[in-house]
Amino acid sequence: MDMSRRDFIKKVGLLSAIAAVNAEIPVIAQEAGKSRGSYNPGETRYFRSTCKMCVNFCGIKVKLQDGVLRAVYPDENRALYYNRGNCPKGISGIWNTYNPYRIKKPLKRTNPEKGPDVDPGWVEISWDEALDIVADKLRKIRQDDPRKLIWHHGHGKYLIDDNWMKAFTSAFGTPNMIHRTTVCEAAKHVADELTWGGHEPLPDLEYCNYLINMGGNYFEAEQWARWLDHATVEARERGMKLIAVEPRLSNLAGKADEWIPVRPGKDILFLLAMANVLIENNHIDREFLKEYTNATFLVGEDGKFLRDRNGEPLVWDTATDSTRPYIKGVVPALEGEYSVNGQRYRTAFQVLKDYIKGITPEGVSEECGVPAETIRRIATEFGENARIGSTIEIEGVKLRYRPVCLHTFRGITAREYGVQNNRARLIVMMLVGAIDAVGGYLLHHPGKTSYMEPSRCEYPPSRIDLKKSVFLPHASHDVSQQVMETMHNPERYGIDYQPEMQIFFATNRPFSTSHTERQFEILKKTFNVAIEILMTETAWYADIVFPDRTYLEAYGYKGGRWTPHSRHHTLHYPIVNTFSIPYQNLEIMFELARRAGFYDEFLEKINEKFKLKDPVFEKGKTYDARSAFDIIWRNRTGQSIDQGMKNGFYGELVGVEERYLEGAETKFRGPGKPKMHLYCEELIHTKDRVLELTRENDNIRGVFEEWYEDGDVEGRIEINLSPIPRKEHAYPTPHRKASGYPFYLITFKRMYRTQSGFCNANPILNQVSHDSGFNDVWIHSETARELGVWNGDVVIVESRIGKLKGIVRVTEGIRPDTVGISYSYGHWSPGYPEWARKGSWVNRILEYHPDMVGGMNSFNDTRVKVYRA
């Protein structure tokens, strides 16, 4: 390949930078080590551990030479269970440990004023003073009203498992423990839960022959990435076809057989048109729909199931031409319309079929931006490759064989109608019977029926994030972006308390949501505590900052990422302690609970949340991180923590029965069992309750009017809580209301910047990686010509709520009507070095219209205009 002089100089510069960085590590490490007598010249050791640079939990083998961390390699023992290699981000982890910009001692704010350009007047204080200040504040709040404490964590869940945080907040008495799921993938989870009572399914890539990926870029940054990437490569090598349906040519799309650049937000039309073609072509697994799903249940004009006096849903029994519950001996009708006591009823499948009859590829092509013949061809190929009716024998067991899968992650779910988008995908999978079939979509602990029931629609809400309230009735995951929105005016949401204190553990929450300036404003009004390794933007607003240890200096347990063929538990533990930090995260929690007077309650709740059996935490006994994680490790694996530290993980391979026969086959198949929800009747009952409460309370109506910019609140509720996905779900609020903003704005992840609170200040990732600390504004070449811009030009990207400057990247790898910007850039905290504060902070221009069903943040719905700076 030809290389220009400029490129050559750039490459030489990067190599010099790498050499400089490598040279710095031993200097920092040796000086720190000498100060505490742990520098051991001439000794080389290797430690098997778990990477926590992101949420993949890859196995690593760490080289310690002369008491200095020198390299991170893949742990070859983990390859059988999960990852075969490590990404550049994982390899760079040692620099986080030796980063001179780390917080090394507790800090106290002396300037009560807070703001991005305000000097906090930090002073270093002792650990005892910092712990006592925070514990005293906790004690007073607990005596007054424990709900006034809010605990936030993001990456903290993956460092130590969020059962610790659940136990801490439960013992304290606050309902407000908030994880980050709604700024990641919550809509995907909620759709799964409503449909089959669980979440975190995976494609069965070992046997899949036709995979459609819709916005899950696991060749770079998604969860399960380090398994999905090599499993996909192996599947393609044996002949699997990979189709990418997304507006941007992602790393995954670049490796696909075909890239279909669908218009943002219109994926649901593509999926409904696929369903239309599958039904038209009779590519339908009728036996699966009858035996595993509620497709046969009779639906009345009110959208609800016909039930007997015991509340059991009724089907039309073709053996007796009568309505009966689906019990042994009943042969339910899949299709048709029936008259019962003078009332009209259709099967749930017939309701779906009638609705999508008019949603043809030809009818949605223009709106999707995809040729009708392409949609029709993809649907036909999907149906043909499903091999409906076929079986396969594996290890002597005869199994259903449906080697097709539709996969997504954040792409089609980070939207106002994210749950309904994902529901459409699941319906297509159910139509061909590819759920828990060989080569299809394998479920993970399905059948939790509490997920599949109507919401109680709590009002007034008990939680500040409105989880499972009338506003977000099926939000089974913490609604992280809503917390500070609510805190501006709790009474507006029916909440009768005003939070006074917030603790942030390994999360830069306000920086990474929508309405970011508004999020930070509320931090001026609360007492804030941060447990962090670097001075993030959130830490900049703190009153007390506790330094944390990195994952190479601390103990941490998390159940590993499951795969179709394996299960494993992951462990990391101290290899070094560069700056002699005396407490890690969990130990800070122990100390705060002890000093604030709820230590024994904390221990009791730990036993409860982890469901510990033997050994357990004993009241009155003092625990450090090692002894605490020894208890967890023994309960989960039956091993001592010494054995866990030797191996770095505990893994088991999965047999055929567990892989294919303990999910849908056990939970749903046949008469007398619960059914997967092709039709989500629970949403109809939820809708009725939401409407009832809305009519009784003007505050509820006002919130919905703001979120959806629509006076027809009843109509919006009806659309959101539809039992089947609808065409209206392709039109989120900004797409309907943002006239004069011609471009769709999408956001996406880069491996180098997920968990950006510490990655932006890692020079291996920032200064040496391909982007040199910047993100770009992706613009199609046609659009660039019309705007009169080219690579490297500076443009303004403006939405209805704000504007930013960005550097243009002209490309053919995005739709002409779409602008793409990677998030997790544009950091502004003065606590970061200047080189870590580059790029565009795209979150500041993202509108906020949460998914009413599940609470997901609407990252990919904003419309913008673009012009020269």
Side-chain angles (χ1 to χ4, degrees), residues 64-81:
L64 186 75
Q65 183 178 11
D66 301 336
V68 178
L69 298 173
R70 294 310 304 255
V72 174
Y73 305 105
D75 177 8
E76 65 276 10
N77 292 343
R78 201 79 65 97
L80 182 61
Y81 301 91

Side-chain angles (χ1 to χ4, degrees), residues 292-354:
Y292 296 79
T293 82
N294 65 5
T296 62
F297 291 6
L298 293 173
V299 180
E301 292 298 296
D302 60 358
K304 298 174 184 175
F305 293 144
L306 176 64
R307 297 175 184 270
D308 66 13
R309 66 183 63 187
N310 297 318
E312 290 296 320
L314 298 176
V315 302
W316 187 262
D317 179 19
T318 59
T320 61
D321 279 341
S322 65
T323 58
R324 297 181 67 188
Y326 182 26
I327 59 177
K328 190 173 182 180
V330 169
V331 183
L334 179 62
E335 301 175 76
E337 179 180 319
Y338 305 92
S339 178
V340 182
N341 297 326
Q343 301 293 316
R344 174 178 177 250
Y345 292 90
R346 294 175 290 166
T347 67
F349 176 75
Q350 189 68 50
V351 172
L352 174 70
K353 181 179 177 181
D354 290 347

Side-chain angles (χ1 to χ4, degrees), residues 132-150:
D132 283 342
I133 290 171
V134 176
D136 184 60
K137 187 73 174 176
L138 287 171
R139 189 183 308 108
K140 290 176 180 176
I141 289 176
R142 191 166 185 245
Q143 291 171 351
D144 173 31
D145 186 344
R147 297 177 300 172
K148 294 181 179 180
L149 169 68
I150 304 173

Side-chain angles (χ1 to χ4, degrees), residues 593-604:
R594 184 174 65 80
R595 297 178 189 222
F598 61 98
Y599 180 73
D600 279 349
E601 293 95 324
F602 182 27
L603 299 182
E604 199 170 41

Side-chain angles (χ1 to χ4, degrees), residues 263-278:
R263 181 171 284 128
K266 314 309 175 188
D267 323 72
I268 193 167
L269 299 178
F270 182 96
L271 289 164
L272 292 175
M274 274 189 69
N276 176 297
V277 175
L278 289 170

Side-chain angles (χ1 to χ4, degrees), residues 609-679:
K609 299 300 180 182
F610 278 102
K611 297 182 173 62
L612 301 180
K613 295 180 179 179
D614 183 28
V616 299
F617 286 83
E618 300 174 23
K619 288 183 180 181
K621 187 173 180 179
T622 299
Y623 295 93
D624 59 10
R626 179 188 173 91
S627 59
F629 282 105
D630 182 53
I631 291 175
I632 302 301
W633 195 251
R634 287 177 185 274
N635 271 269
R636 293 293 183 263
T637 70
Q639 297 179 343
S640 71
I641 199 168
D642 290 325
Q643 185 63 41
M645 292 167 63
K646 180 179 179 181
N647 297 331
F649 78 106
Y650 176 84
E652 297 176 315
L653 298 179
V654 171
V656 171
E657 287 78 10
E658 182 179 346
R659 182 167 177 165
Y660 298 113
L661 300 179
E662 293 184 3
E665 299 291 329
T666 300
K667 302 291 186 179
F668 303 119
R669 184 178 185 180
K673 291 186 179 179
K675 299 298 169 202
M676 280 187 268
H677 290 184
L678 181 86
Y679 183 93

Side-chain angles (χ1 to χ4, degrees), residues 811-848:
T811 176
E812 299 289 317
I814 198 165
R815 287 182 54 88
D817 58 2
T818 302
V819 172
I821 304 177
S822 174
Y823 58 90
S824 300
Y825 288 77
H827 289 273
W828 51 258
S829 170
Y832 287 128
E834 184 277 331
W835 49 264
R837 291 182 274 134
K838 296 179 181 180
S840 301
W841 185 19
V842 68
N843 296 70
R844 68 188 305 178
I845 67 170
L846 297 180
E847 297 194 31
Y848 179 47

